[in-house]
Amino acid sequence: EPEVTQTPSHQVTQMGQEVILRCVPISNHLYFYWYRQILGQKVEFLVSFYNNEISEKSEIFDDQFSVERPDGSNFTLKIRSTKLEDSAMYFCASRDTYYEQYFGPGTRLTVT
Amino acid sequence: GQNIDQPTEMTATEGAIVQINCTYQTSGFNGLFWYQQHAGEAPTFLSYNVLDGLEEKGRFSSFLSRSKGYSYLLLKELQMKDSASYLCAVRAGGGNKLTFGTGTQLKVEL
């Protein structure tokens, strides 16, 4: 069964450093999403992406965040200058024309 | 904005039935989703309702009342592996983002 994959599974970085989280959505999917979940809290929407542009973003997704689909398979989330409060599990999700969003296994980001 | 409420924790016995409720307040409602999330893992899709009524899928059923802003997830013949967090999520407006509740942590006991 096709699945969303994410790398790395765990990323440790120092405050102020840039990180890039990578996702490979399911191959025939057209809509892509990033969510995050701070430990013990709810899953929060960050951004959605369709047709090579951002279709919607939350208040969390400020100028420090960017997304890119550099080729036909990868979908990346970049955080330019990480803060302690960026520590969270980051989930990538994708869907085709139907409603169900398939989530990847997540990247645990720890900012020290 | 959107407001989604669900109980924080529930405990049930193996083999029993449990109902997890979710209430929501939103404008432009466009669908309600239930996801299961085991600790440290990704949410996995369980069910989707956009019209009033009951959707059944094996041991899992989900109900929606749009007029009441209410949904429930019904789990039958509970198994130990059903111990997990159950997330209610709403899609609203023209976009497709999901807004999640805080989740209900279900513990299944012998």
Side-chain angles (χ1 to χ4, degrees):
Chain A
E1 184 176 329
E3 58 184 19
V4 177
T5 59
Q6 291 185 242
T7 54
S9 56
H10 191 189
Q11 172 94 46
V12 181
T13 189
Q14 288 189 329
M15 196 166 52
Q17 295 296 305
E18 174 184 288
V19 294
I20 297 176
L21 310 183
R22 302 181 192 280
C23 168
V24 179
I26 294 173
S27 63
N28 62 338
H29 285 190
L30 302 174
Y31 301 83
F32 314 115
Y33 306 83
W34 284 100
Y35 292 83
R36 79 172 186 190
Q37 186 174 31
I38 295 170
L39 188 63
Q41 298 187 23
K42 63 183 177 181
V43 176
E44 299 174 290
F45 168 78
L46 292 178
V47 66
S48 58
F49 192 85
Y50 169 71
N51 200 25
N52 283 322
E53 60 183 27
I54 291 173
S55 46
E56 194 172 2
K57 59 184 181 179
S58 72
E59 292 175 354
I60 301 168
F61 194 89
D62 61 20
D63 292 344
Q64 293 300 312
F65 291 85
S66 63
V67 289
E68 195 178 36
R69 188 155 163 80
D71 52 43
S73 59
N74 289 284
F75 180 50
T76 62
L77 175 70
K78 182 193 290 187
I79 308 175
R80 283 186 241 289
S81 178
T82 50
K83 306 192 249 317
L84 292 176
E85 53 265 38
D86 293 328
S87 294
M89 183 76 95
Y90 287 80
F91 293 108
C92 173
S94 71
R95 70 174 182 93
D96 56 16
T97 53
Y98 294 100
Y99 47 80
E100 178 183 346
Q101 291 183 25
Y102 294 80
F103 283 74
T107 293
R108 180 167 298 286
L109 177 65
T110 303
V111 182
T112 61
Chain B
Q2 298 176 12
N3 193 35
I4 301 170
D5 288 311
Q6 49 181 132
T8 305
E9 295 179 339
M10 297 183 73
T11 302
T13 305
E14 190 179 34
I17 299 172
V18 71
Q19 177 174 312
I20 302 174
N21 296 324
C22 171
T23 57
Y24 64 89
Q25 293 171 324
T26 187
S27 55
F29 176 84
N30 193 20
L32 188 136
F33 297 73
W34 285 96
Y35 279 80
Q36 180 192 61
Q37 186 179 29
H38 285 99
E41 297 183 9
T44 55
F45 172 79
L46 291 177
S47 70
Y48 167 69
N49 296 73
V50 67
L51 300 176
D52 287 357
L54 189 68
E55 294 284 338
E56 295 187 84
K57 215 180 194 185
R59 293 192 300 116
F60 296 83
S61 304
S62 58
F63 171 83
L64 176 67
S65 168
R66 295 178 62 148
S67 62
K68 294 182 180 176
Y70 167 69
S71 172
Y72 66 73
L73 180 69
L74 195 70
L75 292 79
K76 303 175 189 173
E77 300 169 15
L78 280 172
Q79 302 173 10
M80 298 298 288
K81 68 178 183 180
D82 297 329
S83 292
S85 185
Y86 290 85
L87 315 180
C88 174
V90 169
R91 186 174 67 186
N96 288 286
K97 69 174 186 184
L98 296 180
T99 301
F100 286 84
T102 52
T104 298
Q105 187 65 45
L106 174 67
K107 184 179 177 184
V108 180
E109 298 178 327
L110 290 170

